[in-house]
Amino acid sequence: MNVRRTVRFYLNDVLVELDTIAPYQTLLDYLRLDRMMRGTKEGCAEGDCGACTVLVGRLDRDDHLVYETINACIRFVASLDGVHVVTIEHLAPQDAPLHPVQQAMVDNHGSQCGFCTPGFVMSLYGQWLQNPKPSVPEVEQALQGNLCRCTGYSSIIKAAQTISHYANPADDALMVHRAQTIERLRALRDGARIEIEAPGHRVISPASSDDLAVVLESYPQAVLIAGATDVGLWVTKFMRSLPVVVFLNRVADMQTVAIADGRIVLGAGVSFSDAAASLTEAIPQLEELWSRIGGVQIRNAGTVGGNIANGSPIGDSPPTLIALGARITLRMGASRRELPLEDYFIDYGKQDRQPGEFIETISVPIPDVGQEFRVYKVTKRFDEDISSVLGAFRLGIVDGRVADAVIAYGGMAATPKRAPSVEAALIGQPWTRDTVEAAMARYADDFKPLSDWRASAGYRMLVARNLLLRFFIETRGGTVTSGRDLIDG
Amino acid sequence: MDDVRKRRDIGARPTNRAMVPHDSAHKHVTGRAEYVDDIPEPTGTLHAYLGTAAIASGEITGIDVGAVLAAPGVVGVITAADIPGKNDISPAGIGDDTLFCETSVTYHGQPIFAVVGRTRDAARRAAKLAKISYAETVPILDVRAAQEAGGRVVAPGMVIQNGNVKAALEAAAHVVRGSITIGGQEHFYLEGQVSLVVPGEDGEVTLHTATQHPSDTQDVVARVLGLDANGVRVHVRRMGGGFGGKETQGTLFAAVGAVAARKFGRAIKVRPDRDDDMMITGKRHDYVVDYAVGFDDNGIIAGVEADYGARCGYSLDLSIGVTDRTLMHASNAYYFPATRVASQLYYTNTVSNTAFRGYGGPQGLVAVERMIEEIAYTLGLDTLEVRKRNFYDGAKRNATPYGQEVRDNIMPRIIAELEASSEYQARRAEIIAHNRTNPIVRRGIGMVPVKFGISFSKKVMNQGAVLLTIYRDGSVHVSQGGTEMGQGLHTKIMQVIAEELHIDLSRVRITATATDKVPNAAPTAGSLGTDLNGMAAIDATRQIKQRLVEFAMDAYRVHAEQVVFEHEAVRVGRHLIAWPEMIEQAYGARVSLSAAGFYKTPHISWDRKAGKGSPYLYFTYGAACSEVAVDTLTGEYVVLRTDILQDVGRSINRDIDIGQIEGGFIQGMGWLTTEELWWDSKGRLRTHAPSTYKIPVASDRPRIFNVALAEWSINEAPTVRNSKAVGEPPIMLAIAVLDALGMAVASVADYRKAPHLDTPATPERVLMAMERLRAEAV
């Protein structure tokens, strides 16, 4: 195996090559402290406010150059090998005219205190490159991960919708230099494993899943980092030191999405954004949920595998995938084992993963015609919030009777958890309101939720029950009541 | 020219009417606007990080910083023992707010020491290594707990009364008693607290700090260092948002930096992490209001008696002013024939609550709007109808409970215009019909007026000052007492100066607010930045213009009337002299080209002991109409539409004013809906980051959002160009959302019961309120 002792990436127009780097060095601190590039701001250091938004350009599997917004505050520099980082400083050099995105923001009074503004500009820039004439909901979606405390957002949304009056993205510097950038990034892609050692810590970045398996045999206690949307906070909030870190960003063969035999097979390293198109095309009921996991920056970084592996009881994808009957493949060295996703979660903080083992794939059955499937996420704030309760329901209904039922919840227990008593109360019964109400009485057998800052136990229980009723009403063609559709209700 | 006409002519006719963006807009969008954390640090800068209390209440029994000092990158530690002056950062200098806690811990997160390290990361990691032992006691965490524990207060409350409320309530056809819990609010300025302190000669310090109140920071730092105020310079170019959270709460970080700079002789930067910032600094006061409202069969209020219990936290801070304003806004736009409203400033083992946009006024309005709701649902009336019947109107119903006559009342016209433009009545009828046939999704609509008093009730604070300097090339430099936090104050001051001097805006440059340029300035607060400092700016320009006129009369042998300021020029008799030429000539004749402008607000008075006076120069008026849709299965909701009509007098900068209104409304909506502060039973704030504390995002905006200014409104009071203050009032417009949510909730019991929605009206509170009404209705 080729081993390289540096991390190489482009920062705006400059090639950066680092041979000493701590695994927990964040991009934001690197920009602000090491490079004195202070246009990118720190608002929260946890990927929730977007003040640190930058673009990361990377070559996808087809060698297309894609630019995505990410939160620099929780992106580790060691994970940037082979990418093009674009910061606010790149948009308009000193004394040059403003970039169209910037000019639109000025002309529409899109800034007041200005502190969040560079992050908004980068998010709008990222969207404009792909979608120069976004609708209001599209802009709102692009801005899910950007907080502004001053403007109330209207002026920013107006700005977003007028950028295309100023210029065409095809004339933008990033697009004009696209071919050159692709060449540059290709040149950086050598298939080597990166290993950088320093006293007290070690960075390893394998370039394939086979190499990952080899690395983990040597370092079974290593912390695995894919998108760092969770582990980032271990560093920025809990100041944990990470002695050995294995980064998964370069394991391209685990970033795949394949559809075969009525199943979608996701590589564990596929980001929420990369999974979105195929997944929601196959299972359209996932569309709203998928667009409400974190903000865009988080979905661009975070992975489905990471969402499962970290074992959180309030992750959104685990209960959803459990209800869909997903199975995961765990790999250690050359050996693999498969298990139903629900069996992976043993208890709070405890999962069925051995040291040195990693989740390789997630296999998700596409619901059959005749199966009813829905997922509902209930939060304090509609966008970019962690679920108070998430309920996922899959029912097979034959001749008006419930033939099979899988119901899983997040936020209701120490792990993502099924509702066996509720399921039992439904199976074999006619799919009627009486059956549903009888099943609603069984929730206490399955769940004893906690009270915390997101919701009280009482509210969680009530909502969990009511979501079954909502599911029933929707399957019967009743009022659509969830989320954004309230407007039409 | 009569007096009224004269007053209307304060401020020149606008000469810069083209769109004027925020003076820093181009720097905001390029990332080149410099905030304190962006200033290149002087060589050798060290970083200080706070070590804080892990309990909310108790005694410190031991502090061991051995491991801290041994940690890599640590230079040293500072504690109370290192403070050269007084261990007191309270704004009033009364000693209840220590820089470092010495013996008794009074809230979770209270600073005990600070680590000084070569990097912020090193200092922050080391701060966690201290071993502090405590003898823990049971904390008092909220208003009800404080009441049950005997009602300890941080200061005596105030009482405002008029008429005989006991008799009025006894005689009233209806009396409803109840209570409402009104949640607090975290400021969530996007730029957290930060200070950079640079030591100088003779013990002097220069501070670059994010503060709305440079003079207070100067005073506190001087007190802590044992210096005269003239040894401390405070500079503020801009803040990344303030909202009241940087009026007094930044002095802690400034003082920590100052003490460390003194001890180590190096520049010191202090910047807490967002979580620490939220756990350490004060917030909007939360209240429990116990009320009794008497009214007749028509819903006309006969009397109001209410106790406003505020969670003040462990120290006084600004709680007197905040709670006073609550009482002074207890009646909003309504006439109370008989009143007794009283405030209780409860001591609690939580952060010391502080100024927040509206300064107590919003809580007063929420409480009275709850009373309006009680009346409406008791009588089966629309809340708007009850509101209209109780407006101030006419000579006999124009006195506020504290005795100020409401002379400028335009609320009836505001409401009438908004009621028409929002099609309130037709939509309300349509919503009621919708609710009849839709069991799951319910809608509601509400229209709420906001009347807000403008001036500080503390008279001394009603002063503004500006230092205006003109250079030989005709360029103008301004430094003013007010600070820029995004509200566009600098922009408006520059506009005022350009227009007064009849020169292009591009000739005017404004730089950091600095205590060595403008001394003893009031905080930038109370919506008053432009009112106070804009008037001072006009004063400064008039002094300069007067000198130029005198020079011209002398040099050209003309009468005063023959010297006329025209665009970019001065006409002197038959000569038209370009502005730079005029300035050069004046310079050559040894005319002083610098002036200190000053302003003090006239006609205001306030007697806190009596709870009487005329504390406000004028009132602003506005109203909002909001419509919501609520999911009765989960309590989730969407704001479908909001229409706002706001009075800003004659606007100085329309775009900036509209930005303030939109942003204020959304911030107020966050306060009343999704922003929930949640302390656990040990007094630890658990919603201490944006992952858990949810301020509105773009998609929370009303789906339709119409904002209009009452273009016809002209401020009769002497203000800059007849404008009115705009910063705070829009916060309260969001009460319309609460009212609309209340209607949707009430629909589940056929509007026969008041919804009693406490705030923040999270989806949980909305669902639980509906559950309660459903249960009661059975």
Side-chain angles (χ1 to χ4, degrees), chain A residues 448-460:
Chain A
K448 288 190 177 53
L450 291 176
S451 288
D452 67 11
W453 48 93
R454 291 195 181 88
S456 69
Y459 176 73
R460 285 191 159 112

Side-chain angles (χ1 to χ4, degrees), chain B residues 27 56 149 164 192 218 223 226 229 355 360-362 368 437-438 453 545 588 605 653 658 725:
Chain B
K27 288 176 281 191
N164 183 340
Q218 179 189 26
R223 189 196 302 152
V368 68
T437 54
N438 282 271
K545 281 161 76 179
S605 65
N653 187 318
I658 285 178

Side-chain angles (χ1 to χ4, degrees), chain B residues 97 150 336 594:
Chain B
D97 220 337
F336 290 0
S594 157

Side-chain angles (χ1 to χ4, degrees), chain A residues 7 33 74 113 119-120 125 133 152 181 185 217 326 349 367 465 475:
Chain A
V7 167
L33 303 180
I74 51 169
C113 87
F120 272 89
Y125 184 28
K133 291 182 179 170
T181 306
L185 296 187
E217 282 182 316
R465 287 192 188 107
T475 60

Side-chain angles (χ1 to χ4, degrees), chain B residues 56-390:
Chain B
S57 169
E59 299 297 313
I60 296 174
T61 55
I63 302 179
D64 174 3
V65 294
V68 178
L69 290 169
V74 169
V75 175
V77 163
I78 54 170
T79 65
D82 295 300
I83 297 172
K86 288 187 182 151
N87 185 11
D88 177 16
I89 59 166
S90 63
I94 56 172
D96 66 342
D97 220 337
T98 57
L99 175 57
F100 293 121
C101 146
E102 293 179 72
T103 51
S104 298
V105 172
T106 51
Y107 77 103
H108 177 260
Q110 189 162 23
I112 297 174
F113 67 97
V115 190
V116 177
R118 274 185 260 285
T119 65
R120 177 173 175 270
D121 187 57
R124 187 175 170 216
R125 285 171 184 272
K128 296 282 175 213
L129 302 176
K131 292 183 182 67
I132 300 172
S133 49
Y134 309 91
E136 204 169 344
T137 53
V138 178
I140 296 164
L141 297 176
D142 60 23
V143 167
R144 286 297 188 219
Q147 289 170 338
E148 281 159 22
R152 179 178 168 189
V153 296
V154 292
M158 182 172 70
V159 177
I160 290 177
Q161 50 190 337
N162 69 307
N164 183 340
V165 77
K166 290 267 178 281
L169 291 179
E170 271 169 30
H174 307 272
V175 176
V176 175
R177 292 171 198 280
S179 61
I180 179 169
T181 300
I182 304 165
Q185 186 176 25
E186 159 63 30
H187 303 83
F188 211 86
Y189 26 67
L190 260 289
E191 175 209 34
Q193 301 282 355
V194 58
S195 275
L196 174 65
V197 185
V198 184
E201 300 175 344
D202 300 326
E204 293 171 10
V205 285
T206 301
L207 290 96
H208 301 274
T209 183
T211 179
Q212 294 170 244
H213 199 346
S215 294
D216 179 54
T217 306
Q218 179 189 26
D219 290 348
V220 167
V221 167
R223 189 196 302 152
V224 167
L225 291 183
L227 289 176
D228 289 338
N230 62 11
V232 179
R233 294 188 296 165
V234 178
H235 285 213
V236 184
R237 173 58 185 89
R238 65 172 62 76
M239 282 164 276
F243 316 113
K246 292 171 181 168
E247 184 168 342
T248 60
Q249 300 298 296
T251 54
L252 165 67
F253 308 96
V256 166
V259 171
R262 167 69 64 85
K263 179 166 177 174
F264 296 99
R266 303 271 280 271
I268 304 286
K269 189 187 273 192
V270 190
R271 179 172 71 82
D273 181 64
R274 172 66 63 179
D275 295 44
D276 292 320
D277 185 324
M278 287 180 74
M279 287 189 279
I280 293 169
T281 63
K283 313 188 185 308
R284 189 190 292 284
H285 293 65
D286 51 309
Y287 280 67
V288 176
V289 183
D290 297 305
Y291 55 84
V293 55
F295 50 97
D296 69 10
D297 291 336
N298 293 317
I300 308 290
I301 294 168
V304 168
E305 185 174 35
D307 281 304
Y308 295 74
R311 164 154 60 177
C312 295
Y314 71 93
S315 74
L316 181 58
D317 189 69
L318 304 172
S319 291
I320 289 176
V322 169
T323 52
D324 285 1
R325 188 167 270 270
T326 300
L327 297 190
M328 292 154 87
H329 286 74
S331 66
N332 190 10
Y334 314 118
Y335 175 67
F336 290 0
T339 314
R340 186 183 189 283
V341 290
S343 55
Q344 293 85 34
L345 283 65
Y346 290 115
Y347 173 96
T348 53
N349 295 115
T350 48
V351 292
S352 189
N353 283 334
T354 192
F356 196 137
R357 203 172 185 177
Y359 209 67
Q363 295 93 320
L365 261 68
V366 167
V368 68
E369 296 308 333
R370 160 66 74 85
M371 296 180 224
I372 294 288
E373 190 183 86
E374 295 274 22
I375 298 168
Y377 285 94
T378 299
L379 299 176
L381 293 170
D382 175 14
T383 53
L384 178 59
E385 185 54 37
V386 175
R387 292 183 170 110
K388 290 198 281 193
R389 290 179 189 178
N390 283 286

Side-chain angles (χ1 to χ4, degrees), chain B residues 617-637:
Chain B
L617 182 63
Y618 61 91
F619 296 96
T620 70
Y621 299 86
C625 174
S626 281
E627 179 180 347
V628 300
V630 177
D631 181 342
T632 58
L633 295 176
T634 60
E636 296 162 288
Y637 46 79

Side-chain angles (χ1 to χ4, degrees), chain A residues 4 14 94 144 158 184 189-190 313 322 329 417-418 430 447 489:
Chain A
R4 172 152 51 90
V14 179
Q94 192 90 40
Q144 283 169 325
K158 273 183 215 144
R184 284 174 160 185
R189 194 171 48 187
D190 56 4
I322 288 171
T329 305
K417 187 179 175 304
R418 278 178 70 169
F447 297 110

